Amino acid sequence: MKYNNIKRTNLLQTAALLERAAESGNTKWRQLFHIMPKTGWLNDPNGLCRFNGEYHIFFQYSPFDTKPGTNFWGHYKTKDFISYEYLPPALCCDQNFDCHGVYSGSTLIDEGKMYLYYTGNVKQLGDFDYITKGREHNLILAVSEDGLSFNDKALLMKNSDYPSDCTCHVRDPKVFKRKGKYYMVLGSRTTADTGEVLVYVSDNKTDWKLVNRLRTAEKFGYMWECPDLFFLDGKEILAFSPQGIEPEGFKYNNVYQSGYALLQGGFTSPNCSVGEFEELDRGFDFYAPQSFEAEDGRRIMMGWLGLPDLESYYENPSNKFGWAHCLTILRELSLRGNKLIQKPLKEYEKLREKELSVENQESVWALEALISYNSPVKAEISIHGDCKIIYENSVLTLSFGKSGYGRKSRSVRLQSLEEIRIFCDSSSVEIFVNGGEEVFTSRFYPENYSGIKPRENYEALKIWQLKGFEYI
Ligand code: FRU
């Protein structure tokens, strides 16, 4: 089916006008080295891929408001993860089958083309619960020859094509090629209110056949969003974002979770079992991560530095300036035993502009700190006076005062403290512990920037002022 060109042109022109207006606006709390749109709302990263020597980063983008609504796919590309080109939205809601949102999805690069798979969201008008009735989640494919124009959209599957015991919530296709076949995982909510992942196979990228359903032995939440299936050291890893999990001590404290489980038995086998779920992040703001493979074989992941449905928990005060949210920095993944390790991309070392002393950080917004420890009993770091990282009784805690806008504290049990690496932008902090064994990702909105100050028991310390990303 061809694009509805008039609708598309109108939507894109309005978005461009808003973006231009935003350029002259208030820059308070805008991030220097995190991907964000010029205006409006951002959520999940989508379609991360390498195509013709460049990396493409798409994201859920609603230019008309600071809440999700008219979700497009916003678009950046980069060669080096340091300088970025901002492009017009790649996909917008211009068809009947995606009129209430071009929802999350992925890209497959194959035979010189870029294939974008996503969920077309439709909310029918009427008195519906929008879970078992009233919502359409369509599987759509758009193909691009050049990674810049996305001309055709094809409807590949609709709700009646998914298993009959699934609710209307079946979305977020992640497609990949393996041993000559194409596979797709889709997140789903069953009519028994359990979350699971549907696994499909295809020979031709358009006709898909269900081969498996990945679920835990015991119910684990009512919906699994944004599944991602990838391979590291010969192991199969399923990342997903489950909803409906109750807090358990330090675990599962956010409104929704994101994490991973190792698969045993092969993802297409009916005997495949989903191992223990492990959270990817211990902070307040991390969701819907997606991974891709870099040219040199590295598996790289990035998430949304935010969460849906936060309003009753904490705030994002940038809303009053007409924008909300950004993506996390990119993290290289590896396995230590069965545990996923996340390390900031080594390319970010190029952001280091100059080394600073502890006393000399006044009014610097973009900072990196590397602090080494030798298994202390206690340690403390303060960031801009209002954010605290405290290690005590084998527990590491991140907490905020006023700058957290409702974010109080999050903790993880940690046997021993060896290293803390902090990436701080104008309104976010990402903390990599013991070489990426644990990560805390969070927004916070400081009024003053006094710097990163370790208080006790550290062995070595380096602090850098970072450059922002370059936009071309
Ligand atoms: C996750 C999510 C996805 C959906 C998208 C819509 O944050 O809810 O499941 O495709 O956001 O923007």
Side-chain angles (χ1 to χ4, degrees), residues 43-44 60 71 103-104 171-172 225-226 287 304:
N43 57 290
D44 316 351
Q60 288 287 289
N71 291 43
Y103 271 14
S104 286
R171 60 175 172 268
D172 310 335
E225 293 194 308
C226 301
Y287 198 63
W304 172 19

PDB file of all heavy atoms in Angstrom, residues 43-44 60 71 103-104 171-172 225-226 287 304, ligand 1:
ATOM      1  N   ASN A  43      10.113   8.033  23.636  1.00  0.00           N
ATOM      2  CA  ASN A  43      10.239   6.845  24.487  1.00  0.00           C
ATOM      3  C   ASN A  43      11.187   5.823  23.867  1.00  0.00           C
ATOM      4  O   ASN A  43      12.347   6.194  23.625  1.00  0.00           O
ATOM      5  CB  ASN A  43       8.896   6.320  25.020  1.00  0.00           C
ATOM      6  CG  ASN A  43       7.818   5.961  24.042  1.00  0.00           C
ATOM      7  OD1 ASN A  43       7.247   6.830  23.408  1.00  0.00           O
ATOM      8  ND2 ASN A  43       7.481   4.708  23.935  1.00  0.00           N
ATOM      9  N   ASP A  44      10.777   4.616  23.622  1.00  0.00           N
ATOM     10  CA  ASP A  44      11.723   3.524  23.331  1.00  0.00           C
ATOM     11  C   ASP A  44      12.693   3.784  22.163  1.00  0.00           C
ATOM     12  O   ASP A  44      12.285   4.333  21.145  1.00  0.00           O
ATOM     13  CB  ASP A  44      10.953   2.261  22.914  1.00  0.00           C
ATOM     14  CG  ASP A  44       9.763   1.976  23.775  1.00  0.00           C
ATOM     15  OD1 ASP A  44       9.590   2.634  24.804  1.00  0.00           O
ATOM     16  OD2 ASP A  44       8.975   1.094  23.402  1.00  0.00           O
ATOM     17  N   GLN A  60      10.774   6.176  19.489  1.00  0.00           N
ATOM     18  CA  GLN A  60       9.371   6.564  19.607  1.00  0.00           C
ATOM     19  C   GLN A  60       9.326   8.061  19.874  1.00  0.00           C
ATOM     20  O   GLN A  60       9.914   8.547  20.855  1.00  0.00           O
ATOM     21  CB  GLN A  60       8.709   5.799  20.762  1.00  0.00           C
ATOM     22  CG  GLN A  60       8.477   4.338  20.465  1.00  0.00           C
ATOM     23  CD  GLN A  60       7.329   4.154  19.477  1.00  0.00           C
ATOM     24  OE1 GLN A  60       6.177   4.352  19.792  1.00  0.00           O
ATOM     25  NE2 GLN A  60       7.679   3.779  18.260  1.00  0.00           N
ATOM     26  N   ASN A  71       2.564   8.707  18.035  1.00  0.00           N
ATOM     27  CA  ASN A  71       3.945   8.208  17.997  1.00  0.00           C
ATOM     28  C   ASN A  71       4.482   7.975  16.592  1.00  0.00           C
ATOM     29  O   ASN A  71       3.937   7.179  15.839  1.00  0.00           O
ATOM     30  CB  ASN A  71       4.054   6.916  18.806  1.00  0.00           C
ATOM     31  CG  ASN A  71       3.894   7.183  20.270  1.00  0.00           C
ATOM     32  OD1 ASN A  71       3.021   7.946  20.669  1.00  0.00           O
ATOM     33  ND2 ASN A  71       4.734   6.579  21.078  1.00  0.00           N
ATOM     34  N   TYR A 103       4.167   2.209  16.528  1.00  0.00           N
ATOM     35  CA  TYR A 103       4.752   1.733  17.784  1.00  0.00           C
ATOM     36  C   TYR A 103       6.119   1.083  17.559  1.00  0.00           C
ATOM     37  O   TYR A 103       6.618   0.993  16.438  1.00  0.00           O
ATOM     38  CB  TYR A 103       3.776   0.768  18.456  1.00  0.00           C
ATOM     39  CG  TYR A 103       2.783   1.450  19.394  1.00  0.00           C
ATOM     40  CD1 TYR A 103       2.595   2.829  19.389  1.00  0.00           C
ATOM     41  CD2 TYR A 103       2.035   0.695  20.298  1.00  0.00           C
ATOM     42  CE1 TYR A 103       1.691   3.434  20.255  1.00  0.00           C
ATOM     43  CE2 TYR A 103       1.126   1.295  21.171  1.00  0.00           C
ATOM     44  CZ  TYR A 103       0.964   2.669  21.145  1.00  0.00           C
ATOM     45  OH  TYR A 103       0.076   3.253  22.007  1.00  0.00           O
ATOM     46  N   SER A 104       6.661   0.537  18.637  1.00  0.00           N
ATOM     47  CA  SER A 104       8.042   0.056  18.612  1.00  0.00           C
ATOM     48  C   SER A 104       8.261  -1.110  17.663  1.00  0.00           C
ATOM     49  O   SER A 104       7.351  -1.876  17.363  1.00  0.00           O
ATOM     50  CB  SER A 104       8.480  -0.351  20.013  1.00  0.00           C
ATOM     51  OG  SER A 104       8.705   0.811  20.766  1.00  0.00           O
ATOM     52  N   ARG A 171       2.816  -6.936  20.479  1.00  0.00           N
ATOM     53  CA  ARG A 171       3.530  -5.841  19.799  1.00  0.00           C
ATOM     54  C   ARG A 171       5.045  -5.922  19.926  1.00  0.00           C
ATOM     55  O   ARG A 171       5.583  -6.777  20.583  1.00  0.00           O
ATOM     56  CB  ARG A 171       3.036  -4.504  20.353  1.00  0.00           C
ATOM     57  CG  ARG A 171       3.243  -4.298  21.834  1.00  0.00           C
ATOM     58  CD  ARG A 171       2.827  -2.888  22.255  1.00  0.00           C
ATOM     59  NE  ARG A 171       2.832  -2.719  23.686  1.00  0.00           N
ATOM     60  CZ  ARG A 171       1.777  -2.913  24.477  1.00  0.00           C
ATOM     61  NH1 ARG A 171       0.619  -3.280  23.980  1.00  0.00           N
ATOM     62  NH2 ARG A 171       1.894  -2.755  25.782  1.00  0.00           N
ATOM     63  N   ASP A 172       5.696  -4.948  19.303  1.00  0.00           N
ATOM     64  CA  ASP A 172       7.139  -4.695  19.392  1.00  0.00           C
ATOM     65  C   ASP A 172       7.982  -5.798  18.739  1.00  0.00           C
ATOM     66  O   ASP A 172       8.802  -6.466  19.399  1.00  0.00           O
ATOM     67  CB  ASP A 172       7.581  -4.509  20.863  1.00  0.00           C
ATOM     68  CG  ASP A 172       6.723  -3.501  21.607  1.00  0.00           C
ATOM     69  OD1 ASP A 172       6.140  -2.619  20.939  1.00  0.00           O
ATOM     70  OD2 ASP A 172       6.606  -3.595  22.852  1.00  0.00           O
ATOM     71  N   GLU A 225       6.730  -6.481  27.271  1.00  0.00           N
ATOM     72  CA  GLU A 225       6.926  -5.535  26.171  1.00  0.00           C
ATOM     73  C   GLU A 225       8.343  -5.659  25.621  1.00  0.00           C
ATOM     74  O   GLU A 225       9.254  -6.143  26.290  1.00  0.00           O
ATOM     75  CB  GLU A 225       6.705  -4.097  26.666  1.00  0.00           C
ATOM     76  CG  GLU A 225       5.275  -3.806  27.072  1.00  0.00           C
ATOM     77  CD  GLU A 225       4.994  -2.301  27.223  1.00  0.00           C
ATOM     78  OE1 GLU A 225       5.745  -1.629  27.933  1.00  0.00           O
ATOM     79  OE2 GLU A 225       4.018  -1.819  26.640  1.00  0.00           O
ATOM     80  N   CYS A 226       8.517  -5.174  24.409  1.00  0.00           N
ATOM     81  CA  CYS A 226       9.826  -4.977  23.785  1.00  0.00           C
ATOM     82  C   CYS A 226      10.804  -6.151  23.943  1.00  0.00           C
ATOM     83  O   CYS A 226      11.899  -5.985  24.510  1.00  0.00           O
ATOM     84  CB  CYS A 226      10.472  -3.716  24.340  1.00  0.00           C
ATOM     85  SG  CYS A 226       9.477  -2.253  24.051  1.00  0.00           S
ATOM     86  N   TYR A 287      14.136   1.630  30.597  1.00  0.00           N
ATOM     87  CA  TYR A 287      13.056   0.785  30.087  1.00  0.00           C
ATOM     88  C   TYR A 287      13.271   0.483  28.602  1.00  0.00           C
ATOM     89  O   TYR A 287      13.948   1.221  27.889  1.00  0.00           O
ATOM     90  CB  TYR A 287      11.707   1.498  30.275  1.00  0.00           C
ATOM     91  CG  TYR A 287      10.525   0.561  30.196  1.00  0.00           C
ATOM     92  CD1 TYR A 287      10.363  -0.457  31.130  1.00  0.00           C
ATOM     93  CD2 TYR A 287       9.580   0.678  29.193  1.00  0.00           C
ATOM     94  CE1 TYR A 287       9.290  -1.335  31.053  1.00  0.00           C
ATOM     95  CE2 TYR A 287       8.495  -0.198  29.109  1.00  0.00           C
ATOM     96  CZ  TYR A 287       8.365  -1.194  30.047  1.00  0.00           C
ATOM     97  OH  TYR A 287       7.309  -2.067  29.985  1.00  0.00           O
ATOM     98  N   TRP A 304      15.548   3.358  26.858  1.00  0.00           N
ATOM     99  CA  TRP A 304      14.873   4.642  27.106  1.00  0.00           C
ATOM    100  C   TRP A 304      15.279   5.073  28.515  1.00  0.00           C
ATOM    101  O   TRP A 304      15.130   4.287  29.465  1.00  0.00           O
ATOM    102  CB  TRP A 304      13.370   4.395  26.998  1.00  0.00           C
ATOM    103  CG  TRP A 304      12.489   5.538  27.410  1.00  0.00           C
ATOM    104  CD1 TRP A 304      12.825   6.853  27.534  1.00  0.00           C
ATOM    105  CD2 TRP A 304      11.099   5.453  27.750  1.00  0.00           C
ATOM    106  NE1 TRP A 304      11.732   7.588  27.925  1.00  0.00           N
ATOM    107  CE2 TRP A 304      10.665   6.753  28.069  1.00  0.00           C
ATOM    108  CE3 TRP A 304      10.177   4.390  27.816  1.00  0.00           C
ATOM    109  CZ2 TRP A 304       9.343   7.027  28.447  1.00  0.00           C
ATOM    110  CZ3 TRP A 304       8.876   4.668  28.190  1.00  0.00           C
ATOM    111  CH2 TRP A 304       8.466   5.972  28.497  1.00  0.00           C
TER     112      TRP A 304
HETATM  113  C1  FRU B   1       7.100   0.477  25.660  1.00  0.00           C
HETATM  114  C2  FRU B   1       5.907   0.649  24.734  1.00  0.00           C
HETATM  115  C3  FRU B   1       5.880  -0.416  23.660  1.00  0.00           C
HETATM  116  C4  FRU B   1       5.088   0.260  22.580  1.00  0.00           C
HETATM  117  C5  FRU B   1       5.587   1.672  22.666  1.00  0.00           C
HETATM  118  C6  FRU B   1       4.585   2.709  22.284  1.00  0.00           C
HETATM  119  O1  FRU B   1       7.443   1.665  26.294  1.00  0.00           O
HETATM  120  O2  FRU B   1       4.725   0.657  25.466  1.00  0.00           O
HETATM  121  O3  FRU B   1       5.334  -1.639  24.085  1.00  0.00           O
HETATM  122  O4  FRU B   1       5.323  -0.287  21.316  1.00  0.00           O
HETATM  123  O5  FRU B   1       5.993   1.868  24.000  1.00  0.00           O
HETATM  124  O6  FRU B   1       5.169   3.979  22.281  1.00  0.00           O
END
